[in-house]
Amino acid sequence: MRILFVCLGNICRSPSAEGVFRHVLASRAPELQVEIDSAGTHDYHIGSPPDRRSIAAAKRRGIDLSSLRARLVAAEDFTHYDLILAMDDENLQELRRRSPAAQHHRIRLMMEFAPQAASRHVPDPYYGGAQGFEEVLDLLEEAAEGLLAELFRLDAKR
Ligand code: 4NP
């Protein structure tokens, strides 16, 4: 199973999603073979580490994002990854616009995996305050539970 998390800049939400889900897999399902990465739809921050506010907020939850570097979504991603999880509708639409219709089934919203959550989207925290970064992690942790449950279901069917 290969999963790509996608947001706009690949410095706040999607690297946080990558870190949260790596952490969940390492602690709860080390036996699952899952390849994970994250990418952005825009090129503003290519090569940069995650935003220092994302790094700090994740660190407080025991998650280290410091070695991640931003990259742009590439054409090959649409065939390589089984699941491409967008943080919001804008990212989702952009991914669909850039990919062949035959690959659209792979592209979904991250928060689909937490139907009970307060939000359908992971809101962009970039221009807001520290609370926004905590909210991003809260939402991602909720969605990560649903995503893990889905991977267990798929694994059981194999
Ligand atoms: P992200 O947040 O999409 O969660 O990485 C953003 C990062 C940078 C910008 C916007 C959102 N920006 O406009 O530079």
Side-chain angles (χ1 to χ4, degrees):
M1 190 69 175
R2 304 186 182 112
I3 305 174
L4 183 68
F5 300 102
V6 176
C7 63
L8 186 70
N10 193 210
I11 56 166
C12 300
R13 293 166 293 174
S14 60
S16 299
E18 179 181 348
V20 164
F21 202 56
R22 265 188 211 291
H23 186 76
V24 164
L25 284 173
S27 56
R28 310 255 302 281
E31 73 281 11
L32 290 184
Q33 302 270 320
V34 190
E35 181 185 325
I36 306 177
D37 197 8
S38 64
T41 59
H42 285 73
D43 59 4
Y44 314 126
H45 300 281
I46 289 175
S48 298
D51 188 287
R52 59 188 163 71
R53 298 166 293 176
S54 291
I55 291 179
K59 192 175 176 190
R60 287 193 290 274
R61 301 186 191 206
I63 298 168
D64 180 13
L65 304 181
S66 62
S67 63
L68 302 179
R69 296 294 179 266
R71 75 164 176 92
L72 202 53
V73 170
E76 311 82 73
D77 291 331
F78 296 108
T79 48
H80 183 74
Y81 290 94
D82 304 294
L83 266 182
I84 301 173
L85 299 179
M87 297 298 127
D88 65 26
D89 263 330
E90 192 189 330
N91 310 146
L92 184 87
Q93 294 311 324
E94 190 58 32
L95 288 167
R96 289 173 69 92
R97 203 179 63 73
R98 291 189 197 184
S99 58
Q103 310 304 346
H104 286 182
H105 64 281
R106 302 167 192 252
I107 306 169
R108 295 164 66 178
L109 276 178
M110 178 70 174
M111 293 311 295
E112 264 185 49
F113 291 95
Q116 78 291 349
S119 177
R120 257 189 94 236
H121 303 128
V122 183
D124 182 351
Y126 191 68
Y127 293 106
Q131 182 52 36
F133 289 81
E134 297 302 328
E135 188 192 353
V136 164
L137 289 173
D138 290 342
L139 289 168
L140 291 174
E141 285 178 348
E142 258 189 291
E145 288 302 317
L147 182 55
L148 180 64
E150 173 74 5
L151 294 192
F152 279 138
R153 262 194 302 277
L154 291 173
D155 193 55
K157 278 200 253 168
R158 287 198 309 157

